[in-house]
Amino acid sequence: HYGGLMCDMDPIMDIAKRYKLYVLEDCAHTPGAAYKGRMAGSVGDVGVFSFHSLKNITTCGEGGMITTNHSEWVEGIEALRCMNLSHWDASQRDFQMGPYKLQKFVDGKYSDYWIPGHYDVKDINGYWGNNYRMNEIQAAVGRAQLKKLDMLTQKRQENVRYINEGIKGIKGVEGVYEPAGYKHVCHLYTLCIDPKVFNRDEFLRVLYREEGVQSILHYQPTYHFTALKKLGITGNCPVADEFFYKREMNLPMHPRLTKQQLDDTIAGIRNTAMKLSKKNK
């Protein structure tokens, strides 16, 4: 899911069902987003969320969440998060381990609760996890942020609608859209440039150097990264290539933008389009 808007999930789920595939939703941009009445992270088999400091809610810089409707996966996910640690299964404790023979009380409980140890370590289908836990303070911040999510989302949506209204009618420039049946949580404001009207890089250059509005680009096609090229990974995705290299840029977007900052952004976009239109005549 990109920028705060969920993918069109029904065709994806149809393909997955046809070929018996699992679907993992990347929900890093979409906490609270919805598609046809279903929340992000609830449509596929697994949803993964990011609470990095730049996301819609945060846990003091890093952190995340996994959602799943597969209860049989929960124990494995939790174990992989924390070095494959699990509790000793009390039903399996009546055995000889090293120099110890566990003894039971008459009610079936063990007298030596510390033997053989407080925890076990098990692989998960041959896989070993790592120390991916958040600390308690981060979790507390995340819970507080979660209570504010609707308010923070509303502010983002208001900011996006304000910019959309301000740049309406500029030829060759397209703002954020929200299809019917979707809830867009506006993680990014992606401004799209029609390459038949403007050169994207020239537009970005004037917007930043002359109008003071700094944009960034998300996301480069991964098969262009050096490390993946070394692995022999190549790609042929012309729509993704054109989107990243010729069409898109992301404007500053967060809940604390002031009206002046929004107005400056709108004016910058309008002025840039006007300057380039005159230059290209």
Side-chain angles (χ1 to χ4, degrees), residues 5 51 67 88 107 149 153 196 204 212 225 234 237 247 259:
L5 184 69
F51 300 145
T67 58
W88 282 97
D107 62 0
L149 179 58
T153 298
K196 296 177 182 178
L204 198 153
F225 290 139
T234 59
C237 301
R247 298 192 62 224
K259 184 177 182 299

Side-chain angles (χ1 to χ4, degrees), residues 1-9 25-36 38-41 49 54-57 149 152-154 156-157 160-161 176-179 181-190 218-219 243 250 253:
H1 308 314
Y2 175 81
L5 184 69
M6 289 180 65
C7 304
D8 187 2
M9 289 299 296
E25 293 181 65
D26 182 345
C27 304
H29 290 185
T30 51
Y35 165 82
K36 298 183 179 179
R38 291 168 285 175
M39 302 297 291
F49 293 79
L54 296 181
K55 298 302 191 291
N56 287 34
I57 59 175
L149 179 58
L152 295 171
T153 298
Q154 183 178 347
R156 286 176 176 272
Q157 291 170 332
V160 164
R161 290 166 187 153
V176 174
Y177 71 99
E178 183 178 47
Y182 291 69
K183 178 185 176 183
H184 199 316
V185 296
C186 303
H187 174 62
L188 302 176
Y189 189 104
T190 303
H218 290 103
Y219 290 93
F243 176 72
N250 288 291
M253 177 50 54

Side-chain angles (χ1 to χ4, degrees), residues 81-96:
R81 177 186 62 178
C82 183
M83 300 178 293
N84 291 64
L85 299 183
S86 63
H87 295 292
W88 282 97
D89 186 348
S91 66
Q92 302 297 319
R93 280 192 163 188
D94 194 11
F95 59 89
Q96 183 79 30

